[in-house]
Amino acid sequence: MRLIDCVELLPKLAPAPPRAASTVLAKDTVPYVEFLAFEPRGAVLAIEAPNIASQLGRLVRRSGPRFEVEAELTGLRGPGALSPSGRWLLTGGALLSGRAASCQVIDLHTFQVARTLPLMRPFSWIDDEHFIAQSPNCESAFEGASIIRTEKRRVDPTLAAAAPSLMKPAPSMVRVSSSTLDCQPLLPSLLLDEETCAALSPDGEVLYTATSYSRISAVRVSDGQLLWQRPPSRLVTEGTVHAMALDSSTNRLVTVGGGVDHDTLVLDARSGDEISRHSLEQLTRGMTTGPSTRGDAVHFREDGLGFIGTNNGLVIEIGTDGRWTAFKAGTRSHRAVAFSPDGASMILGGAEKNLRVVPLTAR
């Protein structure tokens, strides 16, 4: 992935014309779309959240040419993860004392909650039987000027009692069998710096995770061996991570978030070495009069075509040749990105109370 100088980013100077204008549809979304995915049959799954953090959102299935609501399930939160066959969906569940502490396993055949587990995001499916999630951390307490980890786990006691096998490992990323709930610890969770996003290699052998403070890790799924790890940022201004994606065509890992000198990192997924870092604010200089540009979502198509959704309606496109360009697709945050099954279009969701479809070149 070759990243070019920011003067070439502007659409009028880009090596190819900007994308065609996005098409607005599904105008009845509730305030924030937190997750989007296409089912194999072409229907769209969307997790929408209210603008009050303590309230749960809804899962909506949209189908047909106008993506009208076909089914709805309330009482959950995003983001989510769709199993390879499209049968199961993992989503966030109810909070405990304002913190994430549970997840819902949704049976998409019945569009009902199959079970509620004492696990939390980030989620990744290895296959339809095994998935990866995070076991809730311990509660924290103050001891003088220091914050310490207590012995009590941050989880609903009823959920913990119903799935005791999930409470055996120390707080960590875990590999779980959905049928037996047996679990294998993969990566310990640190107090106040838990994992927030994850990506899995196409062969399911390597799990990549990132925390809000940019601690980025690669761990082998089969035995939990840590392959490499980047230390966290010392200060928030040095960079935080909101989303992460793996470009499997070039084996490069991209994280987006916030920061002063940079908000985007491009890493070699094999070694964790930094290939480049970028400021979306500088790359999109002059393209918007709104708030400074920050990355809120990132997603790659199988052939390496990538898109970064930002907080101010801009979409940053990373071509398969590594060249960057940008186009406007609304005025507010794009928090979720998904490609259609044939790869010929992309759907965007976020804070605009609608979904947008952008036509793409065929794979």
Side-chain angles (χ1 to χ4, degrees), residues 227-257:
L227 302 178
W228 55 261
Q229 187 175 75
R230 289 174 58 90
S233 303
R234 294 170 297 174
L235 301 170
V236 175
T237 55
E238 292 181 357
T240 60
V241 175
H242 295 165
M244 175 174 65
L246 175 68
D247 174 10
S248 58
S249 69
T250 60
N251 208 34
R252 300 190 182 187
L253 197 65
V254 178
T255 70
V256 297

PDB file of all heavy atoms in Angstrom, residues 227-257:
ATOM      1  N   LEU A 227       2.517 -12.774  19.130  1.00  0.00           N
ATOM      2  CA  LEU A 227       3.453 -12.672  18.020  1.00  0.00           C
ATOM      3  C   LEU A 227       4.174 -11.334  18.022  1.00  0.00           C
ATOM      4  O   LEU A 227       5.369 -11.262  17.761  1.00  0.00           O
ATOM      5  CB  LEU A 227       2.720 -12.883  16.692  1.00  0.00           C
ATOM      6  CG  LEU A 227       1.971 -14.220  16.562  1.00  0.00           C
ATOM      7  CD1 LEU A 227       1.236 -14.287  15.230  1.00  0.00           C
ATOM      8  CD2 LEU A 227       2.942 -15.383  16.710  1.00  0.00           C
ATOM      9  N   TRP A 228       3.453 -10.283  18.279  1.00  0.00           N
ATOM     10  CA  TRP A 228       4.061  -8.959  18.448  1.00  0.00           C
ATOM     11  C   TRP A 228       3.057  -8.035  19.122  1.00  0.00           C
ATOM     12  O   TRP A 228       1.861  -8.311  19.136  1.00  0.00           O
ATOM     13  CB  TRP A 228       4.534  -8.352  17.120  1.00  0.00           C
ATOM     14  CG  TRP A 228       3.519  -8.249  16.022  1.00  0.00           C
ATOM     15  CD1 TRP A 228       3.344  -9.088  14.967  1.00  0.00           C
ATOM     16  CD2 TRP A 228       2.517  -7.204  15.852  1.00  0.00           C
ATOM     17  NE1 TRP A 228       2.314  -8.669  14.151  1.00  0.00           N
ATOM     18  CE2 TRP A 228       1.800  -7.512  14.663  1.00  0.00           C
ATOM     19  CE3 TRP A 228       2.179  -6.056  16.572  1.00  0.00           C
ATOM     20  CZ2 TRP A 228       0.758  -6.707  14.209  1.00  0.00           C
ATOM     21  CZ3 TRP A 228       1.133  -5.252  16.114  1.00  0.00           C
ATOM     22  CH2 TRP A 228       0.446  -5.583  14.948  1.00  0.00           C
ATOM     23  N   GLN A 229       3.564  -6.947  19.685  1.00  0.00           N
ATOM     24  CA  GLN A 229       2.695  -5.988  20.368  1.00  0.00           C
ATOM     25  C   GLN A 229       3.338  -4.611  20.357  1.00  0.00           C
ATOM     26  O   GLN A 229       4.537  -4.472  20.638  1.00  0.00           O
ATOM     27  CB  GLN A 229       2.430  -6.416  21.813  1.00  0.00           C
ATOM     28  CG  GLN A 229       1.406  -5.560  22.538  1.00  0.00           C
ATOM     29  CD  GLN A 229       1.091  -6.105  23.917  1.00  0.00           C
ATOM     30  OE1 GLN A 229       1.885  -5.971  24.846  1.00  0.00           O
ATOM     31  NE2 GLN A 229      -0.078  -6.738  24.044  1.00  0.00           N
ATOM     32  N   ARG A 230       2.541  -3.614  20.028  1.00  0.00           N
ATOM     33  CA  ARG A 230       2.986  -2.218  20.095  1.00  0.00           C
ATOM     34  C   ARG A 230       2.508  -1.626  21.412  1.00  0.00           C
ATOM     35  O   ARG A 230       1.354  -1.826  21.812  1.00  0.00           O
ATOM     36  CB  ARG A 230       2.397  -1.400  18.935  1.00  0.00           C
ATOM     37  CG  ARG A 230       2.982  -1.744  17.577  1.00  0.00           C
ATOM     38  CD  ARG A 230       2.236  -1.008  16.478  1.00  0.00           C
ATOM     39  NE  ARG A 230       2.268   0.440  16.667  1.00  0.00           N
ATOM     40  CZ  ARG A 230       3.207   1.239  16.165  1.00  0.00           C
ATOM     41  NH1 ARG A 230       4.188   0.717  15.451  1.00  0.00           N
ATOM     42  NH2 ARG A 230       3.160   2.543  16.353  1.00  0.00           N
ATOM     43  N   PRO A 231       3.365  -0.901  22.119  1.00  0.00           N
ATOM     44  CA  PRO A 231       2.956  -0.331  23.409  1.00  0.00           C
ATOM     45  C   PRO A 231       1.894   0.735  23.222  1.00  0.00           C
ATOM     46  O   PRO A 231       1.760   1.327  22.135  1.00  0.00           O
ATOM     47  CB  PRO A 231       4.257   0.260  23.950  1.00  0.00           C
ATOM     48  CG  PRO A 231       5.085   0.545  22.730  1.00  0.00           C
ATOM     49  CD  PRO A 231       4.746  -0.546  21.756  1.00  0.00           C
ATOM     50  N   PRO A 232       1.106   1.010  24.261  1.00  0.00           N
ATOM     51  CA  PRO A 232       0.062   2.045  24.154  1.00  0.00           C
ATOM     52  C   PRO A 232       0.654   3.436  24.083  1.00  0.00           C
ATOM     53  O   PRO A 232       1.830   3.662  24.414  1.00  0.00           O
ATOM     54  CB  PRO A 232      -0.744   1.841  25.438  1.00  0.00           C
ATOM     55  CG  PRO A 232       0.238   1.270  26.406  1.00  0.00           C
ATOM     56  CD  PRO A 232       1.133   0.391  25.593  1.00  0.00           C
ATOM     57  N   SER A 233      -0.160   4.375  23.658  1.00  0.00           N
ATOM     58  CA  SER A 233       0.247   5.779  23.658  1.00  0.00           C
ATOM     59  C   SER A 233       0.407   6.263  25.087  1.00  0.00           C
ATOM     60  O   SER A 233      -0.331   5.859  25.982  1.00  0.00           O
ATOM     61  CB  SER A 233      -0.793   6.643  22.941  1.00  0.00           C
ATOM     62  OG  SER A 233      -1.009   6.201  21.617  1.00  0.00           O
ATOM     63  N   ARG A 234       1.366   7.122  25.307  1.00  0.00           N
ATOM     64  CA  ARG A 234       1.550   7.689  26.643  1.00  0.00           C
ATOM     65  C   ARG A 234       0.534   8.782  26.931  1.00  0.00           C
ATOM     66  O   ARG A 234       0.159   9.002  28.077  1.00  0.00           O
ATOM     67  CB  ARG A 234       2.973   8.248  26.768  1.00  0.00           C
ATOM     68  CG  ARG A 234       4.070   7.188  26.719  1.00  0.00           C
ATOM     69  CD  ARG A 234       5.431   7.831  26.615  1.00  0.00           C
ATOM     70  NE  ARG A 234       5.555   8.590  25.381  1.00  0.00           N
ATOM     71  CZ  ARG A 234       6.606   9.355  25.091  1.00  0.00           C
ATOM     72  NH1 ARG A 234       7.607   9.462  25.957  1.00  0.00           N
ATOM     73  NH2 ARG A 234       6.647  10.023  23.949  1.00  0.00           N
ATOM     74  N   LEU A 235       0.094   9.468  25.876  1.00  0.00           N
ATOM     75  CA  LEU A 235      -0.881  10.544  26.004  1.00  0.00           C
ATOM     76  C   LEU A 235      -1.966  10.355  24.953  1.00  0.00           C
ATOM     77  O   LEU A 235      -1.712   9.816  23.863  1.00  0.00           O
ATOM     78  CB  LEU A 235      -0.216  11.915  25.812  1.00  0.00           C
ATOM     79  CG  LEU A 235       0.921  12.280  26.776  1.00  0.00           C
ATOM     80  CD1 LEU A 235       1.617  13.551  26.300  1.00  0.00           C
ATOM     81  CD2 LEU A 235       0.396  12.457  28.183  1.00  0.00           C
ATOM     82  N   VAL A 236      -3.165  10.817  25.260  1.00  0.00           N
ATOM     83  CA  VAL A 236      -4.265  10.717  24.302  1.00  0.00           C
ATOM     84  C   VAL A 236      -3.919  11.441  23.009  1.00  0.00           C
ATOM     85  O   VAL A 236      -4.279  11.007  21.909  1.00  0.00           O
ATOM     86  CB  VAL A 236      -5.560  11.279  24.911  1.00  0.00           C
ATOM     87  CG1 VAL A 236      -6.676  11.301  23.880  1.00  0.00           C
ATOM     88  CG2 VAL A 236      -5.986  10.462  26.117  1.00  0.00           C
ATOM     89  N   THR A 237      -3.198  12.552  23.105  1.00  0.00           N
ATOM     90  CA  THR A 237      -2.857  13.330  21.915  1.00  0.00           C
ATOM     91  C   THR A 237      -1.933  12.576  20.973  1.00  0.00           C
ATOM     92  O   THR A 237      -1.805  12.932  19.801  1.00  0.00           O
ATOM     93  CB  THR A 237      -2.197  14.655  22.321  1.00  0.00           C
ATOM     94  OG1 THR A 237      -1.060  14.382  23.164  1.00  0.00           O
ATOM     95  CG2 THR A 237      -3.176  15.541  23.057  1.00  0.00           C
ATOM     96  N   GLU A 238      -1.280  11.517  21.460  1.00  0.00           N
ATOM     97  CA  GLU A 238      -0.379  10.743  20.611  1.00  0.00           C
ATOM     98  C   GLU A 238      -1.139   9.798  19.689  1.00  0.00           C
ATOM     99  O   GLU A 238      -0.562   9.227  18.767  1.00  0.00           O
ATOM    100  CB  GLU A 238       0.599   9.938  21.471  1.00  0.00           C
ATOM    101  CG  GLU A 238       1.593  10.804  22.231  1.00  0.00           C
ATOM    102  CD  GLU A 238       2.551   9.963  23.061  1.00  0.00           C
ATOM    103  OE1 GLU A 238       2.393   8.729  23.087  1.00  0.00           O
ATOM    104  OE2 GLU A 238       3.451  10.539  23.684  1.00  0.00           O
ATOM    105  N   GLY A 239      -2.410   9.600  19.951  1.00  0.00           N
ATOM    106  CA  GLY A 239      -3.194   8.747  19.059  1.00  0.00           C
ATOM    107  C   GLY A 239      -4.048   7.756  19.809  1.00  0.00           C
ATOM    108  O   GLY A 239      -3.595   7.102  20.744  1.00  0.00           O
ATOM    109  N   THR A 240      -5.302   7.654  19.400  1.00  0.00           N
ATOM    110  CA  THR A 240      -6.218   6.655  19.939  1.00  0.00           C
ATOM    111  C   THR A 240      -6.789   5.863  18.765  1.00  0.00           C
ATOM    112  O   THR A 240      -6.715   6.294  17.618  1.00  0.00           O
ATOM    113  CB  THR A 240      -7.363   7.296  20.733  1.00  0.00           C
ATOM    114  OG1 THR A 240      -8.094   8.177  19.865  1.00  0.00           O
ATOM    115  CG2 THR A 240      -6.832   8.086  21.918  1.00  0.00           C
ATOM    116  N   VAL A 241      -7.340   4.691  19.049  1.00  0.00           N
ATOM    117  CA  VAL A 241      -7.880   3.824  18.000  1.00  0.00           C
ATOM    118  C   VAL A 241      -9.377   3.666  18.176  1.00  0.00           C
ATOM    119  O   VAL A 241      -9.852   3.308  19.254  1.00  0.00           O
ATOM    120  CB  VAL A 241      -7.199   2.438  18.037  1.00  0.00           C
ATOM    121  CG1 VAL A 241      -7.866   1.503  17.027  1.00  0.00           C
ATOM    122  CG2 VAL A 241      -5.713   2.556  17.730  1.00  0.00           C
ATOM    123  N   HIS A 242     -10.133   3.935  17.108  1.00  0.00           N
ATOM    124  CA  HIS A 242     -11.582   3.727  17.096  1.00  0.00           C
ATOM    125  C   HIS A 242     -11.962   2.489  16.301  1.00  0.00           C
ATOM    126  O   HIS A 242     -12.954   1.835  16.605  1.00  0.00           O
ATOM    127  CB  HIS A 242     -12.295   4.937  16.490  1.00  0.00           C
ATOM    128  CG  HIS A 242     -12.148   6.180  17.293  1.00  0.00           C
ATOM    129  ND1 HIS A 242     -12.452   7.430  16.789  1.00  0.00           N
ATOM    130  CD2 HIS A 242     -11.729   6.389  18.562  1.00  0.00           C
ATOM    131  CE1 HIS A 242     -12.222   8.344  17.716  1.00  0.00           C
ATOM    132  NE2 HIS A 242     -11.778   7.739  18.784  1.00  0.00           N
ATOM    133  N   ALA A 243     -11.195   2.176  15.254  1.00  0.00           N
ATOM    134  CA  ALA A 243     -11.529   1.049  14.389  1.00  0.00           C
ATOM    135  C   ALA A 243     -10.264   0.510  13.746  1.00  0.00           C
ATOM    136  O   ALA A 243      -9.252   1.208  13.638  1.00  0.00           O
ATOM    137  CB  ALA A 243     -12.535   1.475  13.316  1.00  0.00           C
ATOM    138  N   MET A 244     -10.332  -0.741  13.305  1.00  0.00           N
ATOM    139  CA  MET A 244      -9.172  -1.403  12.723  1.00  0.00           C
ATOM    140  C   MET A 244      -9.645  -2.386  11.664  1.00  0.00           C
ATOM    141  O   MET A 244     -10.717  -2.987  11.794  1.00  0.00           O
ATOM    142  CB  MET A 244      -8.388  -2.133  13.818  1.00  0.00           C
ATOM    143  CG  MET A 244      -7.212  -2.954  13.322  1.00  0.00           C
ATOM    144  SD  MET A 244      -6.229  -3.630  14.693  1.00  0.00           S
ATOM    145  CE  MET A 244      -7.429  -4.735  15.422  1.00  0.00           C
ATOM    146  N   ALA A 245      -8.846  -2.568  10.609  1.00  0.00           N
ATOM    147  CA  ALA A 245      -9.179  -3.528   9.564  1.00  0.00           C
ATOM    148  C   ALA A 245      -7.896  -4.065   8.955  1.00  0.00           C
ATOM    149  O   ALA A 245      -6.861  -3.391   8.926  1.00  0.00           O
ATOM    150  CB  ALA A 245     -10.054  -2.884   8.486  1.00  0.00           C
ATOM    151  N   LEU A 246      -7.978  -5.298   8.468  1.00  0.00           N
ATOM    152  CA  LEU A 246      -6.850  -5.950   7.817  1.00  0.00           C
ATOM    153  C   LEU A 246      -7.080  -5.975   6.311  1.00  0.00           C
ATOM    154  O   LEU A 246      -8.121  -6.432   5.846  1.00  0.00           O
ATOM    155  CB  LEU A 246      -6.705  -7.382   8.344  1.00  0.00           C
ATOM    156  CG  LEU A 246      -5.635  -8.253   7.687  1.00  0.00           C
ATOM    157  CD1 LEU A 246      -4.242  -7.728   8.027  1.00  0.00           C
ATOM    158  CD2 LEU A 246      -5.776  -9.706   8.129  1.00  0.00           C
ATOM    159  N   ASP A 247      -6.099  -5.470   5.573  1.00  0.00           N
ATOM    160  CA  ASP A 247      -6.109  -5.599   4.116  1.00  0.00           C
ATOM    161  C   ASP A 247      -5.388  -6.897   3.791  1.00  0.00           C
ATOM    162  O   ASP A 247      -4.167  -6.952   3.753  1.00  0.00           O
ATOM    163  CB  ASP A 247      -5.400  -4.406   3.478  1.00  0.00           C
ATOM    164  CG  ASP A 247      -5.246  -4.550   1.968  1.00  0.00           C
ATOM    165  OD1 ASP A 247      -5.864  -5.477   1.399  1.00  0.00           O
ATOM    166  OD2 ASP A 247      -4.508  -3.745   1.372  1.00  0.00           O
ATOM    167  N   SER A 248      -6.153  -7.972   3.603  1.00  0.00           N
ATOM    168  CA  SER A 248      -5.554  -9.291   3.414  1.00  0.00           C
ATOM    169  C   SER A 248      -4.826  -9.410   2.083  1.00  0.00           C
ATOM    170  O   SER A 248      -3.972 -10.283   1.930  1.00  0.00           O
ATOM    171  CB  SER A 248      -6.630 -10.373   3.523  1.00  0.00           C
ATOM    172  OG  SER A 248      -7.658 -10.164   2.571  1.00  0.00           O
ATOM    173  N   SER A 249      -5.121  -8.530   1.119  1.00  0.00           N
ATOM    174  CA  SER A 249      -4.451  -8.612  -0.176  1.00  0.00           C
ATOM    175  C   SER A 249      -2.990  -8.206  -0.082  1.00  0.00           C
ATOM    176  O   SER A 249      -2.162  -8.649  -0.881  1.00  0.00           O
ATOM    177  CB  SER A 249      -5.171  -7.733  -1.200  1.00  0.00           C
ATOM    178  OG  SER A 249      -4.999  -6.356  -0.902  1.00  0.00           O
ATOM    179  N   THR A 250      -2.659  -7.348   0.893  1.00  0.00           N
ATOM    180  CA  THR A 250      -1.275  -6.913   1.083  1.00  0.00           C
ATOM    181  C   THR A 250      -0.763  -7.231   2.482  1.00  0.00           C
ATOM    182  O   THR A 250       0.378  -6.921   2.804  1.00  0.00           O
ATOM    183  CB  THR A 250      -1.149  -5.389   0.856  1.00  0.00           C
ATOM    184  OG1 THR A 250      -1.997  -4.697   1.790  1.00  0.00           O
ATOM    185  CG2 THR A 250      -1.554  -5.018  -0.555  1.00  0.00           C
ATOM    186  N   ASN A 251      -1.618  -7.832   3.315  1.00  0.00           N
ATOM    187  CA  ASN A 251      -1.269  -8.182   4.691  1.00  0.00           C
ATOM    188  C   ASN A 251      -0.818  -6.957   5.480  1.00  0.00           C
ATOM    189  O   ASN A 251       0.178  -7.000   6.193  1.00  0.00           O
ATOM    190  CB  ASN A 251      -0.203  -9.274   4.737  1.00  0.00           C
ATOM    191  CG  ASN A 251      -0.305 -10.110   6.005  1.00  0.00           C
ATOM    192  OD1 ASN A 251      -1.402 -10.337   6.522  1.00  0.00           O
ATOM    193  ND2 ASN A 251       0.816 -10.548   6.533  1.00  0.00           N
ATOM    194  N   ARG A 252      -1.577  -5.893   5.365  1.00  0.00           N
ATOM    195  CA  ARG A 252      -1.291  -4.675   6.114  1.00  0.00           C
ATOM    196  C   ARG A 252      -2.491  -4.314   6.981  1.00  0.00           C
ATOM    197  O   ARG A 252      -3.636  -4.444   6.568  1.00  0.00           O
ATOM    198  CB  ARG A 252      -0.928  -3.531   5.178  1.00  0.00           C
ATOM    199  CG  ARG A 252       0.301  -3.878   4.365  1.00  0.00           C
ATOM    200  CD  ARG A 252       0.856  -2.738   3.590  1.00  0.00           C
ATOM    201  NE  ARG A 252       2.005  -3.169   2.803  1.00  0.00           N
ATOM    202  CZ  ARG A 252       2.789  -2.348   2.121  1.00  0.00           C
ATOM    203  NH1 ARG A 252       2.548  -1.054   2.124  1.00  0.00           N
ATOM    204  NH2 ARG A 252       3.803  -2.818   1.436  1.00  0.00           N
ATOM    205  N   LEU A 253      -2.178  -3.873   8.168  1.00  0.00           N
ATOM    206  CA  LEU A 253      -3.180  -3.558   9.177  1.00  0.00           C
ATOM    207  C   LEU A 253      -3.327  -2.049   9.258  1.00  0.00           C
ATOM    208  O   LEU A 253      -2.324  -1.329   9.346  1.00  0.00           O
ATOM    209  CB  LEU A 253      -2.725  -4.130  10.519  1.00  0.00           C
ATOM    210  CG  LEU A 253      -3.739  -4.286  11.638  1.00  0.00           C
ATOM    211  CD1 LEU A 253      -4.804  -5.309  11.274  1.00  0.00           C
ATOM    212  CD2 LEU A 253      -3.021  -4.710  12.923  1.00  0.00           C
ATOM    213  N   VAL A 254      -4.568  -1.562   9.233  1.00  0.00           N
ATOM    214  CA  VAL A 254      -4.829  -0.121   9.277  1.00  0.00           C
ATOM    215  C   VAL A 254      -5.711   0.189  10.479  1.00  0.00           C
ATOM    216  O   VAL A 254      -6.756  -0.449  10.669  1.00  0.00           O
ATOM    217  CB  VAL A 254      -5.509   0.371   7.980  1.00  0.00           C
ATOM    218  CG1 VAL A 254      -5.822   1.860   8.067  1.00  0.00           C
ATOM    219  CG2 VAL A 254      -4.617   0.094   6.777  1.00  0.00           C
ATOM    220  N   THR A 255      -5.288   1.135  11.282  1.00  0.00           N
ATOM    221  CA  THR A 255      -6.109   1.608  12.397  1.00  0.00           C
ATOM    222  C   THR A 255      -6.441   3.071  12.179  1.00  0.00           C
ATOM    223  O   THR A 255      -5.638   3.830  11.620  1.00  0.00           O
ATOM    224  CB  THR A 255      -5.390   1.456  13.758  1.00  0.00           C
ATOM    225  OG1 THR A 255      -4.299   2.403  13.844  1.00  0.00           O
ATOM    226  CG2 THR A 255      -4.852   0.053  13.946  1.00  0.00           C
ATOM    227  N   VAL A 256      -7.640   3.471  12.606  1.00  0.00           N
ATOM    228  CA  VAL A 256      -8.047   4.871  12.528  1.00  0.00           C
ATOM    229  C   VAL A 256      -8.602   5.279  13.880  1.00  0.00           C
ATOM    230  O   VAL A 256      -9.090   4.458  14.651  1.00  0.00           O
ATOM    231  CB  VAL A 256      -9.097   5.118  11.425  1.00  0.00           C
ATOM    232  CG1 VAL A 256      -8.532   4.802  10.056  1.00  0.00           C
ATOM    233  CG2 VAL A 256     -10.359   4.308  11.677  1.00  0.00           C
ATOM    234  N   GLY A 257      -8.508   6.560  14.180  1.00  0.00           N
ATOM    235  CA  GLY A 257      -8.997   7.052  15.463  1.00  0.00           C
ATOM    236  C   GLY A 257      -8.814   8.547  15.577  1.00  0.00           C
ATOM    237  O   GLY A 257      -9.207   9.311  14.701  1.00  0.00           O
TER     238      GLY A 257
END
